[in-house]
Amino acid sequence: MRSAFVLALFLRHFVVPESSVTAPVSPERTVPSAVTVSVEEIVSPTRQSVAPGSQRVPMLNVSFTAACDGDVTVESIALQRRGLGSNDDIAAVYAMEGTKRVSQSRQITDRQGNVSLRLEKFVIDACASKKISVLVDFTATAAVSGEHRFILDERSDIDAGNAAVTLKKSTVTQTRRTVGRTQGAINIEYVSLTERVRYGERQEVQRIRMEATGEDALLTAVTFTNRGSARDLDLRNFYLQGGNRRLTPVASSLEGDRIRLVFDPPLLLQKNEIRLFILRADVRASRSRTIDLIIEEPSDLENSSVRGRNRGL
């Protein structure tokens, strides 16, 4: 299960360019009003125990299939939390498509357990299907023996614009029950860069310190989001460095405003250990583009707790 962590100071960095880049504007596609999409809940009849503080816990899979009469854009889905537990036990609810997060995280503020997720550019091509997973992060203070599950209740819970929606609800439930001791945490601090970011190769675009508390943590991947205006090929050839060693393979470029880096091999961060990481990239942005790379959501740092003395990793 994933560990909770704390985000700290955010810094904003500006790019000194050598040339300006103007992106072409694509014509907007029109979607026929008669398009249809079918939505299906997919769950396993399981009752799985998770520890308080666990992250990236799968709760529900949802499959979307567009008819052959046109592409469909799904704007949002509205979910309901059910079960003998408190809404306050859930720190965040969000949607993933594979390893890519396709929504911002949301807390459950509605007393009835309703929560809406707005999907980011989620388009199903005509005659094609896509699947998302609804994941949650549990709070470190989640009550022991609390039970939680998520459902789509009505077809009106899916906002697919002008598309007609059909909903096939699952006949089984997938319940998560909180038990055991709280997962450890990873604290993150953003550190000032040693020099201004400039146009060129292998630029230092972010520095962060990480500290594991409570227990050891095994880091497997991390996603950075650029809150500045640089997008796609403005930043290329990303990798994370620790000391003089490269810790991740090179990732080609931003995908929109995000880049996911995989630790290869996974990196053990021992309890109370503090390590400095440097994010590097080739900067190809114009003067008007800015860089502000952060770990936007706690679950964007993918890791698992390590209990025992697994020091050989």
Side-chain angles (χ1 to χ4, degrees):
M1 290 298 102
R2 310 301 179 190
S3 304
F5 83 75
V6 178
L7 290 178
L9 176 67
F10 294 139
L11 299 175
R12 190 170 189 81
H13 311 304
F14 294 86
V15 176
V16 179
E18 289 187 350
S19 61
S20 296
V21 177
T22 301
V25 178
S26 300
E28 184 176 334
R29 296 185 66 181
T30 59
V31 179
S33 60
V35 297
T36 58
V37 59
S38 60
V39 182
E40 181 180 3
E41 291 183 335
I42 306 171
V43 299
S44 301
T46 60
R47 185 183 298 270
Q48 179 181 339
S49 298
V50 298
S54 297
Q55 292 183 332
R56 288 185 168 235
V57 179
M59 302 298 296
L60 178 69
N61 292 324
V62 184
S63 177
F64 302 86
T65 301
C68 295
D69 44 10
D71 301 348
V72 175
T73 299
V74 181
E75 300 290 346
S76 65
I77 59 173
L79 301 158
Q80 287 189 17
R81 191 207 66 81
R82 300 280 181 84
L84 300 176
S86 170
N87 295 332
D88 294 336
D89 291 345
I90 306 296
V93 185
Y94 47 96
M96 301 283 295
E97 181 186 8
T99 60
K100 178 184 176 182
R101 181 165 51 81
V102 292
S103 80
Q104 299 293 320
S105 69
R106 292 289 181 264
Q107 293 181 313
I108 305 175
T109 57
D110 179 77
R111 294 181 62 183
Q112 303 303 315
N114 299 310
V115 61
S116 180
L117 300 180
R118 178 163 293 280
L119 305 183
E120 301 170 356
K121 299 179 181 178
F122 192 73
V123 180
I124 302 102
D125 294 337
C127 301
S129 297
K130 277 188 175 183
K131 185 177 75 173
I132 63 171
S133 298
V134 176
L135 276 60
V136 305
D137 298 345
F138 285 91
T139 65
T141 57
V144 174
S145 298
E147 294 187 350
H148 306 269
R149 66 182 187 275
F150 283 79
I151 65 167
L152 287 166
D153 194 39
E154 303 288 345
R155 64 182 183 180
S156 59
D157 292 337
I158 298 98
D159 180 358
N162 293 327
V165 177
T166 61
L167 172 62
K168 181 180 179 181
K169 299 178 65 174
S170 176
T171 58
V172 298
T173 60
Q174 184 165 274
T175 302
R176 301 295 186 233
R177 185 170 180 263
T178 48
V179 298
R181 69 182 189 184
T182 302
Q183 296 281 305
I186 298 178
N187 296 329
I188 287 187
E189 178 186 5
Y190 293 80
V191 183
S192 298
L193 298 181
T194 56
E195 60 182 29
R196 192 177 184 185
V197 180
R198 297 182 180 277
Y199 186 100
E201 297 181 353
R202 296 185 295 277
Q203 292 293 299
E204 185 179 287
V205 292
Q206 186 57 277
R207 292 165 64 91
I208 57 176
R209 288 196 188 100
M210 296 187 191
E211 178 185 12
T213 63
E215 54 196 359
D216 297 349
L218 190 65
L219 309 182
T220 54
V222 58
T223 296
F224 287 90
T225 299
N226 185 35
R227 296 197 305 181
S229 58
R231 293 291 182 271
D232 299 313
L233 295 176
D234 289 337
L235 298 172
R236 311 176 192 181
N237 299 325
F238 285 87
Y239 64 91
L240 205 60
Q241 176 182 326
N244 295 320
R245 184 163 65 99
R246 194 172 67 194
L247 303 174
T248 67
V250 174
S252 60
S253 68
L254 287 172
E255 184 176 352
D257 60 353
R258 292 180 187 149
I259 186 70
R260 181 174 182 265
L261 301 173
V262 178
F263 289 92
D264 185 18
L267 180 69
L268 181 67
L269 188 63
Q270 297 181 13
K271 177 182 176 181
N272 298 328
E273 178 184 12
I274 301 175
R275 294 191 62 165
L276 176 67
F277 299 89
I278 298 172
L279 179 63
R280 292 190 181 276
D282 297 348
V283 176
R284 297 291 184 262
S286 67
R287 181 182 297 273
S288 62
R289 303 299 176 93
T290 55
I291 302 174
D292 184 18
L293 288 154
I294 63 167
I295 302 174
E296 186 177 43
E297 303 282 359
S299 58
D300 286 346
L301 178 60
E302 301 171 40
N303 64 96
S304 58
S305 296
V306 179
R307 292 173 179 173
R309 309 300 294 180
N310 297 326
R311 301 301 191 194
L313 296 170

